[in-house]
Amino acid sequence: MAAATAGLSWRRVSSFTGPVPRSRHGHRAVAIRELVIIFGGGNEGIADELHVYNTATNQWFLPAVRGDIPPGCAAHGFVCDGTRILVFGGMVEYGRYSNDLYELQASRWLWKKVKPQAPSTGSPPCPRLGHSFSLYGNKCYLFGGLANESEDSNNNVPRYLNDFYELELQHGSGVVGWSIPVTKGILPSPRESHTAIVYCRKDLGIPKMYIFGGMCGCRLNDLWELDIETMTWSRPETKGTVPLPRSLHTANVIGNKMYVFGGWVPQSAGGEISAHDGEWKCTGSFAYLNLDTTEWIGLISDCQEDKSNLLPGPRAGHCAVAVGTRLYIWSGRDGYRKAWNNQVCCKDLWYLDTEKPPAPSQVQLIRATTNSFQVKWDEVPTVEGYLLQLHADSPVPAAAGTPGTGVPETSVLSSQGGSSLHQSPQSLPSVPCPEMKVDHPSQANNVIPNNVQLSLPSNSLLKIEGKEKVAAPENKITQEAMKNHVDATGFKESNAPSLLPVCTSSPQTSANVGELHDLDKRTVIPDASVSSTVSSTQTMVTQQAVKTESSSTNGAVVKDETSLTTFNSKSEAAETAYFMPSTKVNTGQANDSHSSRTPQRQMAPVKSRERQWYDVGIFKNSSAVVSQFYLLPEETLNASNKMEDADVPDYRLLKKQDLLPGTVYRFRVAAINGCGVGPFSKVSEFKTCIPGFPGAPSTVKITKSVDCIHLSWEPPASPSGNILEYSAYLAIRSTQLQENPNQLVFMRIYCGLKTSCVVTAAQLSNAHVDYTSRPAIVFRISAKNERGYGPATQVRWLQDMKTSSSK
């Protein structure tokens, strides 16, 4: 089988913390978000503890499990349905097998033994090991395995199985019972230590289960397909070179490919495979089956020698699990044959990026100054860094190629910022919720905090989002007159009208901030100077539970986005890691031995120099403080207009350009992994502040009373003079929203010097619930000084589904 290793970049992880589990074989693994959860297996005795590896932090830990803790087992069934895990069968001691079913609620690390109903016809599954246990929808599918015909565990009489069961699950927790489906076609032959996966083609929508290999006196390499809708078995025709017969291998689906790694294979002699399978060995071979075309593609052959430790060594009985598009492999026995309970096991952990990462979310603004932006974007799982680019409205000259001052310093913004409490309320009126105060300690490592946990009343769910930033004009102008005053973005504004109508369809309505300075008879909807959410699909791991906090916004963009949220930290900066031409981003995971391929840049074709994208840098984390960008030499600039791909340059040789006040900059970001640079995000657009206008109000709080809510805020950290008044706005329902859902309509609900106001139930009854990310009522608050209104802070008050659906 021909090897195609050129596109592979295996990484061995050698830098991790926490209690590392002892090496083993016969264990199983599943993934919940970025967590790899491993159970069972063994070597010198069967392991009964649950181990968790956090792929984002490279940390092992032992959760404090409770409940009906199962005994240790090996070669068991192990599937994951959301945040619950099911364990079925396996060997609990040598010669003694199990048919018990356990459920683990990973959100609480709570084990429970469950007793499914027996099938209406036939017997429930007998005790077994080496079976396959696959999940699709609300059903698990059990096939085959090995049973012991003898009641004496010391007298093992093996019986290979090919029975097929369906286990129906209850939603969230519990099971209904076993059934024996009536199938068509020829059933696969009996076997154990095979693999089974379920795949559903996007174009056809028909779920199918694929069984490959296994052991039945000799090792197998046959492929079987089950159409789950019609319950029909078949043998699909395949193209390419079929992998050698094997057992104790792994198979994982990523995209439309089934990746098969390792296992026991027949020992070949002089290129010929032993007919009777009398001699066998461990393999490190690696291949995938394209499930759309049923073509086998060999990646690492069985005969390929790896003397440089660039690839995982041969092994069997290991575990493999997909986290996003990354494949992890851990432990397993290495093939040195001794007694079953005294194998030589591998201790290493490897991963492989199977494809380039997806595009990140749009860049979101946290804070803007006259010459810098603090930005972030949602994290992309299993990436090594991010390439951030910008281009400016004004032309940027090409550099002469003179070396700059080296890698740019990471700037730190120390201004005091605010936060907003986003409460998911019961419908008004209801029980008052006490005001919450949140402390935000300075981040010692200058990294934006991923999680903030609060101690709240049981009937209150709060989300921290809140911060000031410069206006990104997501809401445009209308033909209602607002006169007399000019604000920080060049808009005219008046105190008179309290209702801010929606925009018209005139050409000016789609213009960005920098293009609206001459409009003196237009109504301006307040621009939100806001940031992204604190947490972006982040899993918080404690000794007691996996607490998931999901919040996604589409970022602060000019043209059509309205779901802008806020963020707070006292001292934040981007942690950067800059590429040299033949280096990787340092992610804390060791790159012990693999190719030093430079990730390939995907550069969009450009029609003119003004549309050229410039590198801000490559960042380890999903945040950055941007005050400069790199200028490309003249020859590189001209060449890049003709090339779609280019190597990451040596930034030490490039000159830097400072950001300018009052200028619109467009941003995009791409994620980087072992396969290179992925596609870029959608473009976001922000404007640096104009000197002299006040910043956005900070520390917004929402306090719920019986028949109203109280909004309060702190003055801007940079008022630039005396604050004359504040205005608070509420997004309201409008027929115009049906025509343009992304265009919010705001009503002014307060204007005055006080830093608080009351929002009545009558006003809230007219509120628009924004579904751009999570259901929320949207407020904006801005301050005015002698020069005019500055950018606004936007607050998204999260609503539960019942409340939002009733509005």
Side-chain angles (χ1 to χ4, degrees):
M1 187 165 55
T5 59
L8 296 181
S9 183
W10 281 98
R11 311 289 180 92
R12 179 174 179 173
V13 181
S14 60
S15 175
F16 39 72
T17 59
V20 180
R22 57 190 170 97
S23 57
R24 64 192 64 193
H25 61 100
H27 52 293
R28 300 288 188 260
V30 295
I32 299 178
R33 298 185 185 273
E34 73 271 25
L35 302 180
V36 173
I37 300 174
I38 296 171
F39 181 70
N43 190 19
E44 297 175 356
I46 296 178
D48 61 357
E49 68 272 10
L50 193 76
H51 288 270
V52 180
Y53 176 69
N54 188 319
T55 61
T57 61
N58 294 348
Q59 180 182 19
W60 288 98
F61 69 94
L62 279 164
V65 296
R66 55 197 176 92
D68 306 325
I69 300 174
C73 57
H76 47 287
F78 201 56
V79 298
C80 179
D81 174 29
T83 58
R84 70 166 164 179
I85 297 171
L86 294 170
V87 180
F88 175 75
M91 182 168 67
V92 292
E93 62 182 52
Y94 184 76
R96 189 166 73 87
Y97 310 151
S98 168
N99 62 349
D100 291 334
L101 180 66
Y102 289 86
E103 176 186 272
L104 172 69
Q105 290 289 343
S107 59
R108 294 174 288 163
W109 299 125
L110 178 64
W111 282 106
K112 180 182 179 182
K113 187 174 183 179
V114 291
K115 296 181 179 180
Q117 298 175 7
S120 57
T121 59
S123 303
C126 65
R128 66 189 67 201
L129 62 72
H131 47 282
S132 58
F133 198 49
S134 308
L135 174 74
Y136 182 76
N138 68 330
K139 293 179 180 177
C140 289
Y141 297 95
L142 169 69
F143 177 80
L146 182 69
N148 185 2
E149 289 288 82
S150 172
E151 295 182 1
D152 182 6
S153 61
N154 294 320
N155 182 26
N156 197 356
V157 180
R159 177 166 66 96
Y160 294 97
L161 305 171
N162 69 338
D163 49 358
F164 181 58
Y165 287 87
E166 184 178 85
L167 176 66
E168 184 178 353
L169 310 181
Q170 292 178 347
H171 179 71
S173 177
V175 298
V176 178
W178 294 105
S179 62
I180 303 176
V182 177
T183 61
K184 306 171 187 176
I186 301 174
L187 206 62
S189 59
R191 65 193 65 206
E192 58 103 359
S193 297
H194 55 282
T195 56
I197 61 95
V198 178
Y199 172 69
C200 187
R201 281 184 61 162
K202 293 182 179 179
D203 54 348
L204 300 178
I206 301 173
K208 295 184 178 182
M209 184 169 73
Y210 292 89
I211 289 176
F212 176 70
M215 174 71 172
C216 184
C218 63
R219 282 162 182 85
L220 308 168
N221 66 344
D222 51 348
L223 180 71
W224 293 83
E225 176 186 283
L226 173 68
D227 185 317
I228 292 178
E229 287 189 351
T230 63
M231 282 294 163
T232 303
W233 289 100
S234 62
R235 288 283 306 274
E237 293 185 5
T238 62
K239 294 171 281 189
T241 304
V242 180
L244 288 178
R246 66 192 60 216
S247 63
L248 292 172
H249 54 288
T250 53
N252 301 85
V253 176
I254 300 176
N256 66 341
K257 300 177 179 65
M258 179 180 77
Y259 289 90
V260 175
F261 180 82
W264 290 114
V265 298
Q267 178 74 54
S268 60
E272 297 294 330
I273 299 175
S274 172
H276 301 288
D277 198 16
E279 294 295 327
W280 36 269
K281 66 174 183 177
C282 268
T283 181
S285 59
F286 186 46
Y288 71 79
L289 175 70
N290 185 314
L291 296 167
D292 293 336
T293 63
T294 62
E295 180 180 7
W296 285 104
I297 303 294
L299 300 173
I300 303 173
S301 69
D302 294 278
C303 59
Q304 199 167 336
E305 293 287 336
D306 179 34
K307 298 180 180 179
S308 57
N309 294 322
L310 291 176
L311 305 170
R315 68 195 65 208
H318 53 285
C319 70
V321 63
V323 179
T325 58
R326 179 176 286 181
L327 181 66
Y328 280 86
I329 289 174
W330 180 69
S331 199
R333 48 180 169 173
D334 68 0
Y336 179 74
R337 288 180 289 165
K338 296 174 68 177
W340 182 91
N341 62 350
N342 191 19
Q343 294 285 326
V344 176
C345 292
C346 308
K347 300 179 180 180
D348 47 358
L349 173 64
W350 293 78
Y351 70 84
L352 172 72
D353 288 313
T354 60
E355 58 188 58
K356 290 182 178 180
S361 65
Q362 289 172 300
V363 177
Q364 303 162 19
L365 190 58
I366 295 171
R367 178 186 292 275
T369 67
T370 56
N371 58 4
S372 71
F373 296 111
Q374 187 173 358
V375 297
K376 78 176 290 289
W377 49 92
D378 291 347
E379 290 184 354
V380 178
T382 65
V383 299
E384 299 171 5
Y386 302 91
L387 172 62
L388 181 63
Q389 293 185 333
L390 66 74
H391 75 73
D393 271 358
S394 15
V396 178
T402 308
T405 57
V407 176
E409 302 79 20
T410 302
S411 57
V412 178
L413 294 176
S414 300
S415 55
Q416 180 74 23
S419 68
S420 64
L421 297 181
H422 288 235
Q423 183 170 351
S424 180
Q426 305 300 317
S427 57
L428 289 170
S430 122
V431 180
C433 177
E435 181 172 317
M436 298 294 161
K437 296 184 181 294
V438 184
D439 294 327
H440 292 273
S442 176
Q443 302 298 307
N445 58 357
N446 291 330
V447 177
I448 291 178
N450 289 322
N451 301 290
V452 180
Q453 291 180 283
L454 299 174
S455 298
L456 301 175
S458 59
N459 64 345
S460 170
L461 172 63
L462 295 173
K463 177 80 178 142
I464 297 179
E465 297 179 346
K467 191 62 184 177
E468 55 181 298
K469 78 167 176 60
V470 86
E474 46 164 348
N475 293 295
K476 314 302 187 306
I477 56 176
T478 70
Q479 294 182 348
E480 289 276 336
M482 290 188 86
K483 302 177 182 178
N484 306 330
H485 302 287
V486 181
D487 71 3
T489 62
F491 290 126
K492 299 280 185 171
E493 200 276 348
S494 167
N495 295 339
S498 61
L499 176 64
L500 300 177
V502 297
C503 67
T504 68
S505 58
S506 61
Q508 293 93 333
T509 61
S510 63
N512 62 51
V513 174
E515 297 167 341
L516 294 176
H517 294 281
D518 299 328
L519 303 172
D520 57 352
K521 294 183 180 181
R522 305 281 181 165
T523 296
V524 179
I525 295 175
D527 296 309
S529 170
V530 293
S531 77
S532 61
T533 57
V534 169
S535 173
S536 171
T537 318
Q538 178 73 20
T539 302
M540 296 178 287
V541 179
T542 69
Q543 283 293 320
Q544 298 299 324
V546 177
K547 296 183 180 179
T548 58
E549 183 96 8
S550 296
S551 178
S552 61
T553 65
N554 292 323
V557 296
V558 169
K559 299 299 181 186
D560 58 1
E561 297 295 340
T562 58
S563 177
L564 306 179
T565 51
T566 54
F567 175 86
N568 175 58
S569 176
K570 292 184 179 178
S571 176
E572 300 145 345
E575 181 176 341
T576 58
Y578 293 91
F579 272 160
M580 300 300 290
S582 61
T583 62
K584 297 285 184 181
V585 175
N586 178 15
T587 63
Q589 297 173 338
N591 179 6
D592 292 343
S593 50
H594 33 88
S595 64
S596 58
R597 293 184 299 112
T598 302
Q600 293 299 304
R601 165 95 53 88
Q602 288 188 351
M603 297 191 69
V606 282
K607 297 180 181 179
S608 67
R609 183 169 301 171
E610 286 74 21
R611 299 294 293 176
Q612 173 67 40
W613 287 95
Y614 296 90
D615 286 5
V616 176
I618 294 179
F619 298 85
K620 175 182 175 181
N621 297 314
S622 59
S623 61
V625 173
V626 182
S627 59
Q628 298 174 316
F629 58 92
Y630 290 100
L631 295 176
L632 295 175
E634 183 73 34
E635 61 273 13
T636 306
L637 182 62
N638 293 334
S640 65
N641 289 341
K642 304 173 184 178
M643 298 172 56
E644 293 189 2
D645 293 329
D647 289 341
V648 174
D650 185 346
Y651 291 131
R652 297 176 301 176
L653 304 179
L654 301 181
K655 296 187 74 173
K656 294 176 291 184
Q657 174 73 40
D658 293 333
L659 302 189
L660 302 175
T663 304
V664 174
Y665 292 91
R666 294 171 176 86
F667 286 87
R668 67 180 187 179
V669 64
I672 305 167
N673 66 9
C675 292
V677 181
F680 280 95
S681 67
K682 294 180 181 179
V683 175
S684 298
E685 180 171 307
F686 314 120
K687 184 181 180 183
T688 48
C689 293
I690 300 174
F693 290 88
S698 61
T699 319
V700 180
K701 297 185 179 72
I702 297 177
T703 307
K704 188 170 70 171
S705 297
V706 175
D707 57 352
C708 64
I709 66 169
H710 296 265
L711 279 178
S712 63
W713 57 90
E714 296 292 334
S718 52
S720 300
N722 295 323
I723 298 298
L724 303 181
E725 66 184 25
Y726 297 94
S727 286
Y729 302 88
L730 169 68
I732 60 171
R733 293 196 299 271
S734 168
T735 55
Q736 297 287 345
L737 281 168
Q738 299 175 1
E739 301 175 5
N740 185 3
N742 294 319
Q743 184 65 60
L744 292 184
V745 182
F746 283 84
M747 175 179 70
R748 180 149 59 185
I749 56 176
Y750 171 77
C751 181
L753 269 172
K754 292 183 178 180
T755 56
S756 64
C757 70
V758 173
V759 186
T760 65
Q763 291 171 322
L764 287 172
S765 67
N766 196 37
H768 165 68
V769 178
D770 177 38
Y771 287 90
T772 309
S773 56
R774 296 166 63 187
I777 293 174
V778 182
F779 297 96
R780 289 181 180 173
I781 305 165
S782 58
K784 179 182 179 182
N785 65 7
E786 290 85 350
R787 293 198 60 182
Y789 271 95
T793 296
Q794 178 164 294
V795 182
R796 302 187 77 251
W797 186 29
L798 299 182
Q799 308 291 296
D800 62 22
M801 295 305 293
K802 292 181 180 179
T803 301
S804 58
S805 62
S806 65
K807 288 190 178 292

